[in-house]
């Protein structure tokens, strides 16, 4: 991105730069646990949502309700979680808590007669803490919901990113935002957990580095002699297991459900620029597109700008996830962070 | 269906005529509860599965994993449940129990390192027992799983059909099966809960009656003077609320995932013959197609026969659901059964 690019990151360079969106993380406590849940929470009226599932091994909930042909336009939270398909239980905890608070699609006369629409997607991280059965459930979902705030969410080994790996290195949560020339905000939050790598094995640089915004987090300086770095990267590269990168791409523009699905779809293009290979059979890569609709519906040119920024935010968010990750050692393994490798 | 039709119902005229499939029901106990869960359980190796979502208000789980482009071919249970989107928690209970028993997709070395693939779909029945918060959760899912047997499942007001309505009359669970001339078995189990009606308001006859097999349950004799019946039907017809018909269409043929999705799709044609209007914006109509693959892959002509029988089984299963339903009165309402209306 050239210095003359009119696009700038927002104040927090994260998902909460989209006014009205909050983020909360929670991690499983205790020995043998290395997993967690992240909740994206809109205001009480919800947020327009679409979805695009592009991975070969997805674990999802309530995605059919996001088809543009259905009645549902707005969702009341999005749950990103570890625990593979077991982790979908976290979304039930979020739905129960939202319903008890009267947040949801109204289906009766009483204020609490609502059904919250809570789409969810999972990443595979089972057993990485040493205990296979340590996985998010309904209580952890409710805890992540209760943790939601509009302050910049933590990145790295936190929330749904707690047990993530990316190309054998430690993965995590990352975020980025963009304020377009007309003031429209676009932002992404990703949980980076890919079979493929975020690092170019020929150079040791992050694939997504070339899409870095000049105001983004500084990239670490790489040594002139990279032979030991490249050897260490090669040693860290694990054979692909089950993985999955999931996330949210959001805007305050007035997008329709179908346009939100398109925003989610180009999020996968941003992912392709940050991770290689990507969208494999053992990745369940899934993005949700969200629009608070505080701003009016964009014209075609404005929509194109939003989509371009959405893809870039995902690439930048993956870079931020990798840079924010720290090395983790558990009874099940020792996963090094990119930052620790480059020294 | 003419008497000369070479297709005959199987021994139980239900889903368990497909060898290897079991069905279990569970209902919520207690005052104010009118909901339940039904589990379809294949053998330990699972069953090939596809899905087709055709309603305007679906509530589903793990359906993206049934896309033919994904890694997953076989599922380890299908959960049909009341409770609207809240009821998806029942599937988590089923997944936890299956995983603890070592049933699922293997993701590690130990026998219990598995992830069960448990797709689910829900029907809306909230508040029909009088208590809005009385809805299936993880424990009821586990109870329905534990109840699975290969004996003919109960029909009517049971399992996921407990709180169902169809066109203002009491709905329920229904099933039907067909043994094709070459011995292939096709069967359906439906949870009938539609905004539309199963009854032709001009005649008082069931829309699906013309697709009845000669060996199916007898239709009730209608009175010569139908004026009071038609008036009662009109009085029972409620304005459409949230509803949803869900079900399973299964065979022992060697279908692929994509062919299972096609089998689910024609199930919706069978539903269209039994319910009018159908697939509305307040229905979340969803069918799963299952193939145990005990028999070889069918050629084109055999596949066409399977699809035709699958659609017919759904129509007949809806008829059976309506005929098996009994009138129910709760603090929230009095819903009359078709059988009680026709006298």
């Amino acid at each position: 991105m050239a210095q003359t690019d009119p696009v700038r990151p927002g104040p927090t360079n994260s998902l909460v730069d989209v006014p009205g969106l909050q983020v909360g993380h929670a991690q499983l406590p205790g020995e043998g646990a290395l997993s967690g849940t992240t909740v994206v929470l809109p205001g009480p009226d919800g947020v327009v949502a679409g979805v695009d599932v592009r991975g070969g091994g997805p674990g999802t909930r309530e995605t059919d309700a996001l088809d543009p042909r259905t009645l549902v336009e707005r969702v009341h939270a999005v749950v990103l979680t570890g625990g593979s398909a077991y982790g979908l239980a976290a979304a039930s905890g979020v739905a129960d808590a939202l319903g008890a608070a009267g947040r949801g699609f109204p289906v009766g006369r009483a204020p609490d007669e609502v059904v919250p629409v809570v789409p969810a997607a999972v990443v595979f991280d089972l057993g990485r803490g040493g205990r296979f059965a340590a996985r998010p459930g309904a209580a952890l979902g409710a805890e992540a919901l209760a943790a939601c705030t509009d302050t910049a969410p933590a990145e790295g080994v936190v929330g749904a990113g707690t047990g993530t790996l990316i190309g054998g290195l430690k993965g995590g949560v990352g975020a980025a935002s963009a304020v377009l020339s007309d003031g429209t905000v676009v932002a992404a939050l990703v949980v980076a957990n890919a079979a493929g790598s975020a690092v170019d094995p020929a150079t040791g640089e992050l694939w997504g580095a070339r899409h870095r915004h000049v105001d983004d987090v500084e990239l670490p300086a790489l040594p002139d002699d990279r032979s030991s770095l490249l050897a260490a990267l090669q040693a860290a590269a694990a054979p692909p297991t089950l993985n999955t990168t999931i996330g949210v791409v959001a805007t305050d523009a007035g997008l329709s459900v179908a346009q939100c699905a398109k925003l989610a779809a180009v999020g996968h293009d941003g992912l392709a620029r940050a991770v290689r290979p990507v969208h494999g059979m053992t990745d369940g890569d899934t993005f949700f597109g969200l629009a608070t609709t505080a701003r009016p519906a964009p014209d075609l040119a404005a929509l194109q700008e939003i989509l371009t920024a959405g893809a870039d935010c995902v690439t930048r968010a993956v870079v931020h996830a990798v840079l924010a990750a720290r090395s983790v050692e558990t009874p099940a393994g020792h996963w090094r962070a990119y930052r620790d490798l480059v020294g």
Side-chain angles (χ1 to χ4, degrees), chain A residues 26-37 81-90 123-138 140 159-160 162-164 330-332:
Chain A
Q27 298 74 234
L28 279 179
E31 195 69 28
L34 189 72
S35 188
T37 299
T81 184
S84 193
Y86 292 115
L88 293 174
V123 299
F124 181 90
D125 58 6
L126 294 171
R128 289 185 184 156
R131 200 156 60 83
F132 187 83
R135 55 212 183 203
L140 199 74
T162 303
T164 52
T330 78

Side-chain angles (χ1 to χ4, degrees), chain A residues 30 56 85 115 117 143 146 189 212 218 294 308 324-325:
Chain A
V115 178
V117 182
E143 188 183 331
L189 182 142
R212 175 182 171 273
E218 288 291 334
T308 301

Side-chain angles (χ1 to χ4, degrees), chain A residues 8 29 97 100 114 211 218 257 284 297 311:
Chain A
R8 288 277 169 274
V114 297
H211 300 280
E218 288 291 334
V257 173

Side-chain angles (χ1 to χ4, degrees), chain A residues 157-255:
Chain A
V157 184
V158 66
T162 303
T164 52
L165 302 178
I166 181 162
L169 300 181
K170 188 70 193 76
V173 171
S177 74
V179 182
L180 309 187
S181 53
D182 71 351
T184 300
V185 181
V186 180
L189 182 142
V190 306
V191 181
N193 188 49
S197 177
V199 187
D200 181 348
T203 65
E205 292 168 9
L206 295 175
W207 290 113
R210 72 186 71 179
H211 300 280
R212 175 182 171 273
H213 194 280
V214 66
D215 296 333
D216 277 348
V217 176
E218 288 291 334
L219 295 167
L222 299 187
D224 287 337
D225 177 1
R226 301 190 186 174
S227 52
S228 62
L229 168 62
L230 298 185
L233 283 169
Q234 195 169 9
T241 57
L242 293 166
N243 292 276
T244 290
T245 295
I246 57 179
V248 163
V249 193
T251 180
D252 55 358
L255 303 193

Side-chain angles (χ1 to χ4, degrees), chain A residues 52-54 190 207-208 211 245 249 261-276 278-279 285-287 304 306-316 318:
Chain A
D52 192 56
V53 179
R54 202 88 69 90
V190 306
W207 290 113
H211 300 280
T245 295
V249 193
K262 181 65 179 166
L263 183 59
V266 296
H268 285 288
D269 298 330
L271 185 62
R273 295 182 185 124
V275 179
R276 177 181 178 281
V278 72
H279 301 135
D285 304 336
T286 298
F287 279 104
Q304 302 262 44
I306 291 166
L307 297 175
T308 301
D312 284 343
C313 282
V314 168
T315 308
R316 294 163 52 211
V318 172

